[in-house]
Amino acid sequence: MCPWCKEGTVVNTSDSVYWELPDGTKAIEITDTPSKQCDGCGACFQDDDIVKEIEDQLFLINTAQLAKAISFDGLMKLPRLLKRNYFDFS
């Protein structure tokens, strides 16, 4: 069931998302991001685990070298400056 309209069926898909970098210097397009889409209202969204994965990766890499667009898989394969997000206390 769709969390937005509470009526439609949600299917797995991939989509482009736009994300502001943690330092606020720019936004980038992340293509082929694992997403969900409602066949009723058309809402396209990402699960919380995908959002966290993107945010952690953007926090842990050298974002100065990022182009305006990158694929989700390409982003996740970039080398990290730290092993994990030591500022995440959740």
Side-chain angles (χ1 to χ4, degrees):
M1 181 179 353
C2 175
W4 299 99
C5 70
K6 307 292 187 209
E7 295 177 9
T9 302
V10 174
V11 295
N12 291 324
T13 187
S14 63
D15 199 13
S16 289
V17 297
Y18 299 87
W19 225 271
E20 183 178 354
L21 298 183
D23 62 6
T25 57
K26 65 180 177 179
I28 61 167
E29 177 183 11
I30 306 170
T31 61
D32 300 318
T33 303
S35 303
K36 307 277 186 186
Q37 186 162 17
C38 174
D39 65 0
C41 68
C44 189
F45 55 93
Q46 293 71 45
D47 286 333
D48 290 342
D49 59 331
I50 295 295
V51 171
K52 180 164 177 27
E53 201 173 338
I54 291 170
E55 289 179 349
D56 282 349
Q57 184 70 349
L58 289 174
F59 188 74
L60 298 171
I61 64 171
N62 181 358
T63 59
Q65 298 176 351
L66 284 175
K68 291 181 180 183
I70 189 169
S71 71
F72 177 81
D73 288 338
L75 176 66
M76 293 304 129
K77 289 178 182 174
L78 290 175
R80 293 180 168 191
L81 301 173
L82 298 170
K83 291 182 181 181
R84 67 180 196 89
N85 184 352
Y86 294 100
F87 301 101
D88 181 7
F89 300 108
S90 59

